[in-house]
Amino acid sequence: MEHTKRYLQSFLSQHKIDVTSNKQAFFEQFIADEENINAVKIIQENQKLIMQNWKLKTRIDDIIMQSVSIPNGTVNKKYQAKIDFEKLGWNDIVSFEVKGLEGTGLTFNENDELIGIPEISGDLKIKIEFRIEEEPEDAVLNEKVLTLIINPDPKSLWKNLESDKNAPFWKTDNEAVSGTFLDKNIVIASKRGRSHANVGSFREDDFAFKNFASTGWSVLAVSDGAGSASLSRMGSKLACNAVVDYLEENFKTENIFDKIVSDYYQKADSEISKKISHFVYDNLSKAAHFAHQKLEDFAVKNETELKNLHATLIFALVKKYEFGYAVLTFGIGDCPIGLVNKSGSEITLMNWLDVGDFGGGTRFITMPEIFHNEKFPSRFGFKLVEDFSYLVLMTDGIYDPKFVVEANLEKIEKWSEFFEDLQGKNEDGIQVDFDKKNTEIANQLSNWMDFWSPGNHDDRTLAIIY
């Protein structure tokens, strides 16, 4: 009764009706009327129901309107993102379904994660149909829409136009080979860069290698044609082939060197070291001069400027002895030669690069002045090792994305990462199997060289003796 009285007093007051003293007895009779008591009870129950509905609908609207950020994905790149209901404050959601993933390459797993490899790009609308506490089981599910941005595969934005096979001095856009090198194996892949493929221009890198059975030496040469030189594709090819041709025809002094290197192995004193340096310089410099001369002859014959053939050049001449391997090297330009010891614990950079303050910028085998520069003798390298695990020659299309700066080339941990990458520790999961019985290694290396690296779209050439 008292509850009904307070409610009706408040109700009448809201309508500016005062119960005067002469109406007090009448009011007591009014509030005691069973019909009025029931009416107040019904009103209050309806008010309570309205408030419950308000709280329920407000909570649903809060969830629907709540801003939820999901990490962006990329087509063809593994994706994983958790929708953390607890962190989002969605502990009162008692049941839900995730829809809108059909044809996207994504699924929603039992750990509340969006996982998969996106197949389409764009703003994906993912629907979460849900029910919260206190909603009846047969209630229509509420719908929250999440936006997941899937970016296009950057590789797909690049065209892959074939180079003109009818153009003078055309060569294949991609080349990969494997074989033997002394008693070891060799694999080489040279791939046209995306920047060239996008406009249908040529692969400017090149390589050549050969085993000289008569002398026991083997040679490997790699060259990177300058992007600004119109005939650099021919310059790199001529340079590599010239080195091989010269050494095959003229490197006949192996008996002299055999004696010197044997003495060096027994006692590497300063006098013998000088003999080694002189021998390496005298013979490898002639090979470099020969390559330069071949390029000059070609330029004259084809009535073009020598600078149109600009190309870097690195090469390694290797021979196996009973006591180890003699490795002789030459380098001009920004392409490194790395020798990894047998245990994989040490790296020797066999050449310095023409980059930064030390090199003063990229140099090319076409430049006559390099042969007269005081630094020219320092372009040659020699090392005698009992054995090695890898001898690597590469162009900057590999060096730039994988080592970034020259200093990293002398860090064995960076080379360890590089070979882990080659052996499958990469986002594409592409593996190069260095088992000597693997006949597919050339194709594997070529596939690995399709790796994506923002801003690095130059030709890529990588030669590995293993």
Side-chain angles (χ1 to χ4, degrees):
M1 178 77 73
E2 187 63 27
H3 181 73
T4 303
K5 180 179 180 179
R6 286 197 304 272
Y7 180 85
L8 288 176
Q9 282 176 331
S10 175
F11 177 76
L12 292 173
S13 176
Q14 289 174 10
H15 288 78
K16 299 181 179 181
I17 298 175
D18 294 327
V19 179
T20 58
S21 56
N22 63 337
K23 293 288 186 179
Q24 194 62 44
F26 174 76
F27 180 68
E28 294 294 333
Q29 292 178 355
F30 185 81
I31 63 175
D33 188 299
E34 190 70 25
E35 184 176 355
N36 290 332
I37 292 173
N38 289 334
V40 169
K41 183 178 180 180
I42 291 171
I43 290 171
Q44 290 182 322
E45 288 177 349
N46 284 335
Q47 286 179 328
K48 182 179 179 180
L49 179 62
I50 290 170
M51 185 57 66
Q52 288 175 340
N53 283 339
W54 170 256
K55 290 180 179 179
L56 188 66
K57 297 299 182 183
T58 298
R59 175 56 183 151
I60 292 169
D61 186 65
D62 286 345
I63 293 174
I64 292 173
M65 299 301 293
Q66 183 177 348
S67 176
V68 177
S69 178
I70 307 177
N72 295 352
T74 302
V75 171
N76 295 328
K77 186 176 181 180
K78 187 177 179 180
Y79 183 84
Q80 183 176 10
K82 185 178 180 64
I83 299 179
D84 197 323
F85 280 55
E86 185 173 347
K87 286 186 177 180
L88 290 168
W90 293 354
N91 296 326
D92 51 349
I93 292 180
V94 294
S95 64
F96 68 92
E97 295 179 36
V98 176
K99 296 186 175 181
L101 298 176
E102 299 82 4
T104 65
L106 299 173
T107 58
F108 191 78
N109 66 16
E110 64 276 5
N111 297 319
D112 298 338
E113 295 174 318
L114 284 168
I115 61 171
I117 299 177
E119 297 175 357
I120 57 175
S121 63
D123 294 357
L124 306 186
K125 302 301 181 181
I126 300 172
K127 297 178 182 178
I128 300 179
E129 296 183 348
F130 65 95
R131 183 183 298 116
I132 67 172
E133 294 173 350
E134 299 183 9
E135 280 193 287
E137 292 187 3
D138 59 350
V140 176
L141 293 175
N142 311 293
E143 182 179 287
K144 178 172 182 60
V145 178
L146 304 180
T147 299
L148 170 58
I149 299 174
I150 300 296
N151 297 311
D153 181 352
K155 295 179 185 178
S156 68
L157 302 178
W158 292 82
K159 298 175 184 177
N160 188 17
L161 305 177
E162 287 189 5
S163 55
D164 183 3
K165 292 182 179 181
N166 296 317
F169 318 116
W170 175 86
K171 62 184 178 185
T172 57
D173 295 335
N174 304 302
E175 189 172 358
V177 298
S178 61
T180 58
F181 192 94
L182 300 176
D183 61 335
K184 294 182 177 288
N185 283 29
I186 185 171
V187 61
I188 312 172
S190 184
K191 180 153 289 194
R192 183 177 62 156
R194 290 189 178 90
S195 58
H196 295 159
N198 195 52
V199 295
S201 60
F202 304 94
R203 172 172 60 95
E204 294 163 350
D205 282 6
D206 221 310
F207 65 89
F209 79 98
K210 195 165 187 178
N211 297 296
F212 305 142
S214 62
T215 61
W217 288 91
S218 293
V219 64
L220 167 62
V222 168
S223 177
D224 177 4
S228 59
S230 60
L231 291 176
S232 63
R233 63 186 182 278
M234 195 60 188
S236 60
K237 182 177 181 178
L238 283 170
C240 290
N241 290 338
V243 167
V244 173
D245 291 344
Y246 177 85
L247 293 173
E248 182 175 28
E249 183 65 28
N250 298 282
F251 196 60
K252 305 296 186 181
T253 57
E254 69 278 0
N255 292 331
I256 299 174
F257 186 76
D258 290 349
K259 177 65 169 62
I260 298 174
V261 80
S262 179
D263 292 342
Y264 179 87
Y265 170 70
Q266 295 175 30
K267 185 182 179 182
D269 58 26
S270 59
E271 189 62 31
I272 298 175
S273 294
K274 286 181 181 178
K275 288 182 180 181
I276 290 281
S277 296
H278 289 153
F279 181 91
V280 173
Y281 176 81
D282 288 343
N283 288 275
L284 270 60
S285 64
K286 292 174 183 177
H289 274 286
F290 183 78
H292 176 83
Q293 188 60 53
K294 281 291 184 182
L295 290 162
E296 275 193 335
D297 293 345
F298 180 89
V300 172
K301 182 179 179 180
N302 290 273
E303 298 180 346
T304 187
E305 293 183 81
L306 187 57
K307 66 179 182 180
N308 292 331
L309 297 166
H310 273 346
T312 66
L313 177 63
I314 55 174
F315 63 87
L317 189 63
V318 189
K319 184 173 183 177
K320 183 184 181 184
Y321 295 89
E322 290 182 359
F323 45 80
Y325 294 84
V327 182
L328 289 59
T329 62
F330 169 82
I332 180 166
D334 54 359
C335 300
I337 306 172
L339 181 66
V340 183
N341 71 347
K342 185 60 178 177
S343 65
S345 60
E346 293 181 7
I347 174 67
T348 301
L349 186 60
M350 297 295 296
N351 64 318
W352 55 266
L353 309 189
D354 288 288
V355 295
D357 294 334
F358 179 63
T362 304
R363 295 291 185 267
F364 304 108
I365 191 64
T366 41
M367 295 177 169
E369 62 269 22
I370 65 168
F371 298 100
H372 308 293
N373 189 282
E374 60 182 11
K375 292 181 180 178
F376 184 65
S378 66
R379 294 187 179 277
F380 301 87
F382 168 78
K383 193 168 183 66
L384 180 65
V385 293
E386 183 178 348
D387 200 357
F388 62 90
S389 56
Y390 302 104
L391 176 59
V392 183
L393 282 70
M394 67 179 78
T395 60
D396 60 354
I398 299 292
Y399 149 63
D400 283 341
K402 295 303 182 181
F403 290 88
V404 185
V405 294
E406 185 182 3
N408 286 336
L409 290 167
E410 298 188 74
K411 297 177 181 178
I412 188 58
E413 60 269 24
K414 293 298 181 181
W415 283 89
S416 297
E417 291 174 7
F418 177 64
F419 280 101
E420 287 176 356
D421 187 329
L422 279 163
Q423 293 165 15
K425 194 175 180 180
N426 53 70
E427 63 179 21
D428 298 316
I430 296 178
Q431 179 183 9
V432 181
D433 182 3
F434 287 96
D435 186 323
K436 290 190 176 183
K437 296 180 181 179
N438 178 21
T439 59
E440 293 298 316
I441 190 168
N443 289 332
Q444 292 172 356
L445 182 59
S446 182
N447 290 336
W448 175 86
M449 285 170 61
D450 279 329
F451 64 81
W452 177 258
S453 177
N456 293 300
H457 308 297
D458 199 1
D459 290 352
R460 294 169 177 173
T461 298
L462 177 58
I464 304 174
I465 300 166
Y466 62 99

